[in-house]
Amino acid sequence: MNVLLVGFIFIVEILSVFQCANILFFAGAPSKSHQVMFQPVFKELSLRGHNVTAIVCSPLKDPKLTNLTEIDLGGLYEIVYKEGNEVREAMKKYIQLKPDLLTVFSKDMVLKNIYHQFGKYILDMPQMQTFLKEDHKFDVVIVEWLYPTFAALAAKYDAPLIGITSLGAPILALDTVGNPSHPVLAPDQDLPMPRDLTFKERLMSGLYAVYVRVYYHLVVLPREDALARKHFGKDIPYLGDIEKNISLLLLNRNLVFHKVMPVVPAIIELGYMNTNKSVGKMDPELQDFMDKSRNGVVYFSLGSNVQVLELPKDKLNAILNTFKNIKYDVVFKINKDTLDNKPKNVLTRKWVPQGAILKHKNTKLFITQGGLQSCDETIINQVPVIAIPFIFDQITNADRLAKYGMGKYLDYEDITEEILTEYINEVITKPSYKKNAIILSKLYTDQPTDALEKAIWWIEYVIRHKGASHLRYPSSDLPLYQYLMLDVLFLVFLALSILIFILIIIVKLCICLSRKMFETKTKKE
Ligand SMILES: *[C@@H]1O[C@H](CO)[C@@H](O)[C@H](O)[C@H]1NC(C)=O
Ligand SMILES: *[C@@H]1O[C@H](CO)[C@@H](O)[C@H](O)[C@H]1NC(C)=O
């Protein structure tokens, strides 16, 4: 009897501890490198028995995942990569505009507008409109924390909100959880500021930190709020308030690789995604090319945002001539099926299983744009690099790789056949680059758990406690004058002034008195 009772209680306990939750996952950036980082997260949540709805640009489409419903935003790739599309043109402009004191502000405006267009395209898609009309209940809403519009999903379903990024976070994202971001110690990750800051860079970072917030609150938020209100209902709270109601921010930051900065408890630094667990498969021709290479393979890819064939002619020719004249074989990722005048030692592909190539024993060097996913994979596989950064955090990442001595930083304006050839030969033949890659790799992966475990644990934590407002660091909720302690400083200043004033009067009085005494004394004499 007792045994039965204990057994019964045990089963009830288990059932009450394990909750199947309804989870909404949204990732709206039409960029493979972002999407690839999110796929394991919503897949794993569904495997653990949660009922997951994923609205994403790159769905998994795996019929075995029975607890996963996907709404495919893949059409967004076609829209924004079509020649002549306004977003495509804006993107090109954004990539080729070199950031400096003047352009850094206009670049940000271009980018925010691109995000706005993404949001509009997504919300106009029929599958999205159907979904919004249906009746759903969610226990948590997880949103890619790139632009604020879709945070409104949390308000629509009255559920706790979690932000996730495939990168670190820009200042604005840090602001939503109240994380301090000092413009000199931790400049915005999108700013092109590789090394210890010069005065000009400190000035730029300081001005940028003010500008980006003013522009966001005066222009971006009201614009996105209007868009959200149109599609998620007129009665939702102001988008800026929804955004600040966030429970957690999961960032793909690594303690070793990213700039060290203090983080509040609501920020979870995921560390690293163990991408080596599931590397893709090479097609037979590629596999053969890799296996049979006599002197080793150079792998060249500028990722999914920068199209190498769109680089200025002289740069592209310098790259191709270099390939022709080196003794190594080259796997060249381009955005076309064929390449005119392709050198014999070059194999081109539109898509490559990057992890598998980097893992291959014949890979000697990775020439990369320094996107975070590429850095992650090359560090894990200990492959030295030449980093040619263009946008976003690529400049900072490329600089980190060079600083750790696992490769060289090459400004794309400096590309010539001579320099590229020299760099390739140096990085492959000098042993220090490989040695440093091994050292960094060990530091990078030495963590208590991998990113996926951490992400799942914290998402379930928010589900269990219906939010995490108890973790909130309230700095962003204070009025600015209180945060900067202006009222306190004013009072102290006032009190000091009064004190000094009184002191001056006393001193003056004393001088006066003593003079009088002195005068009367001399008169008597
Ligand atoms: C689906 O969820 C159930 C629990 O609700 C779980 O037992 C099962 O393993 C899950 N199936 C898959 C394929 O994820
Ligand atoms: C904040 O989130 C909770 C649910 O977690 C919700 O009840 C509340 O209305 C939200 N407030 C705003 C301003 O979004």
Side-chain angles (χ1 to χ4, degrees):
M1 179 66 199
N2 263 353
V3 175
L4 269 183
L5 191 64
V6 169
F8 178 71
I9 291 173
F10 184 65
I11 286 170
V12 170
E13 284 282 298
I14 285 188
L15 285 179
S16 63
V17 168
F18 181 79
Q19 305 170 326
C20 287
N22 291 320
I23 298 174
L24 179 61
F25 195 104
F26 175 89
S31 163
K32 286 255 155 57
S33 57
H34 289 224
Q35 300 281 330
V36 163
M37 142 94 200
F38 301 133
Q39 284 170 344
V41 179
F42 61 78
K43 176 180 169 183
E44 185 64 24
L45 285 167
S46 84
L47 288 176
R48 299 207 181 179
H50 298 298
N51 199 353
V52 181
T53 305
I55 307 177
V56 290
C57 298
S58 303
L60 293 164
K61 293 190 179 147
D62 181 350
K64 280 189 292 231
L65 299 172
T66 47
N67 301 327
L68 176 65
T69 311
E70 289 174 314
I71 292 172
D72 185 356
L73 304 181
L76 198 54
Y77 286 112
E78 280 141 49
I79 296 174
V80 302
Y81 283 110
K82 205 164 74 193
E83 277 311 313
N85 176 283
E86 53 175 335
V87 180
R88 175 93 210 103
E89 295 308 312
M91 202 70 201
K92 261 193 221 169
K93 191 168 129 199
Y94 181 79
I95 290 172
Q96 285 177 6
L97 203 62
K98 248 196 156 325
D100 61 30
L101 247 174
L102 290 175
T103 56
V104 73
F105 304 105
S106 58
K107 265 188 91 133
D108 176 68
M109 290 180 198
V110 171
L111 186 65
K112 297 281 159 54
N113 197 38
I114 291 174
Y115 290 158
H116 180 66
Q117 301 296 336
F118 287 170
K120 266 184 22 195
Y121 279 126
I122 292 172
L123 286 165
D124 282 342
M125 288 181 174
Q127 64 270 40
M128 194 66 198
Q129 299 203 339
T130 316
F131 172 79
L132 289 176
K133 278 194 203 108
E134 290 161 1
D135 197 20
H136 292 283
K137 277 208 164 56
F138 294 106
D139 300 304
V140 66
V141 171
I142 307 168
V143 176
E144 178 177 15
W145 216 236
L146 194 62
Y147 50 103
T149 329
F150 291 87
L153 285 166
K156 179 174 167 66
Y157 298 109
D158 193 20
L161 173 65
I162 295 178
I164 187 166
T165 74
S166 60
L167 310 164
I171 293 177
L172 294 168
L174 296 177
D175 277 356
T176 54
V177 285
N179 200 76
S181 49
H182 191 284
V184 173
L185 290 167
D188 192 281
Q189 65 172 13
D190 291 350
L191 287 180
M193 291 182 180
R195 271 153 226 273
D196 306 324
L197 305 196
T198 60
F199 176 75
K200 192 177 151 203
E201 284 167 334
R202 291 196 304 264
L203 176 68
M204 177 155 137
S205 181
L207 290 178
Y208 185 79
V210 176
Y211 148 79
V212 86
R213 288 169 167 123
V214 171
Y215 185 68
Y216 186 68
H217 287 280
L218 292 187
V219 179
V220 178
L221 264 181
R223 184 170 70 194
E224 301 306 318
D225 180 69
L227 182 62
R229 216 163 274 283
K230 189 170 147 206
H231 292 273
F232 301 118
K234 282 198 204 64
D235 308 328
I236 56 170
Y238 181 61
L239 193 58
D241 296 329
I242 298 174
E243 184 185 63
K244 278 190 173 176
N245 204 15
I246 184 170
S247 291
L248 288 181
L249 190 53
L250 309 176
L251 302 183
N252 194 15
R253 279 183 119 250
N254 183 288
L255 283 180
V256 176
F257 190 65
H258 286 92
K259 273 206 175 101
V260 173
M261 69 172 189
V263 295
V264 297
I267 284 186
I268 309 302
E269 293 181 297
L270 294 180
Y272 80 108
M273 261 305 164
N274 194 349
T275 35
N276 262 7
K277 265 189 198 158
S278 57
V279 294
K281 252 204 144 85
M282 293 192 232
D283 61 78
E285 191 193 355
L286 177 59
Q287 182 79 49
D288 199 52
F289 184 83
M290 296 291 304
D291 291 346
K292 292 207 174 124
S293 174
R294 272 209 283 146
N295 297 319
V297 175
V298 172
Y299 166 49
F300 187 110
S301 164
L302 298 183
S304 48
N305 292 321
V306 183
Q307 309 293 357
V308 61
L309 299 184
E310 282 171 10
L311 290 184
K313 268 263 143 24
D314 58 322
K315 300 297 173 197
L316 189 58
N317 284 339
I319 293 170
L320 286 172
N321 285 337
T322 308
F323 288 169
K324 202 178 338 174
N325 296 324
I326 54 176
K327 62 176 181 174
Y328 307 102
D329 296 310
V330 180
V331 173
F332 190 23
K333 182 179 171 280
I334 54 174
N335 52 318
K336 286 223 177 82
D337 291 314
T338 54
L339 177 67
D340 302 334
N341 308 323
K342 183 170 74 75
K344 269 211 294 292
N345 60 336
V346 175
L347 184 78
T348 63
R349 279 290 177 274
K350 256 175 122 169
W351 182 86
V352 286
Q354 181 158 296
I357 291 185
L358 290 172
K359 214 174 173 177
H360 197 283
K361 63 176 193 329
N362 284 341
T363 305
K364 298 263 186 240
L365 168 69
F366 180 17
I367 302 180
T368 170
Q369 90 290 20
L372 188 57
Q373 268 66 40
S374 295
C375 293
D376 185 76
E377 283 177 319
T378 202
I379 292 171
I380 290 175
N381 290 297
Q382 309 171 346
V383 178
V385 299
I386 294 171
I388 310 172
F390 288 83
I391 43 170
F392 303 134
D393 60 335
Q394 293 168 4
I395 294 168
T396 348
N397 295 345
D399 183 65
R400 293 302 272 185
L401 292 172
K403 235 178 187 171
Y404 272 109
M406 73 172 279
K408 286 190 93 77
Y409 183 111
L410 177 56
D411 198 324
Y412 104 92
E413 287 190 341
D414 295 341
I415 295 178
T416 60
E417 190 184 335
E418 292 73 43
I419 290 182
L420 194 56
T421 309
E422 183 198 317
Y423 276 22
I424 290 177
N425 288 327
E426 184 186 330
V427 176
I428 294 183
T429 51
K430 222 171 122 189
S432 71
Y433 291 103
K434 180 76 183 173
K435 235 199 263 156
N436 289 327
I438 295 172
I439 294 174
L440 177 56
S441 180
K442 285 185 178 156
L443 272 176
Y444 189 83
T445 54
D446 197 354
Q447 307 230 2
T449 54
D450 80 355
L452 188 57
E453 281 302 321
K454 231 184 262 179
I456 304 291
W457 192 88
W458 279 103
I459 290 167
E460 291 185 335
Y461 176 90
V462 169
I463 296 170
R464 281 197 295 275
H465 304 290
K466 303 191 169 43
S469 54
H470 51 279
L471 293 183
R472 184 164 181 79
Y473 183 62
S475 71
S476 290
D477 309 333
L478 289 180
L480 193 63
Y481 78 90
Q482 282 188 27
Y483 181 77
L484 296 174
M485 294 178 65
L486 294 182
D487 48 351
V488 175
L489 289 175
F490 177 74
L491 188 76
V492 171
F493 184 73
L494 194 71
L496 272 179
S497 313
I498 292 172
L499 202 69
I500 290 173
F501 184 69
I502 292 172
L503 274 177
I504 290 175
I505 291 190
I506 292 177
V507 169
K508 273 199 171 158
L509 270 177
C510 289
I511 292 176
C512 236
L513 268 176
S514 60
R515 200 177 276 157
K516 270 200 182 134
M517 275 164 68
F518 183 72
E519 271 168 18
T520 45
K521 216 174 174 192
T522 40
K523 257 184 206 163
K524 267 187 199 163
E525 278 171 8

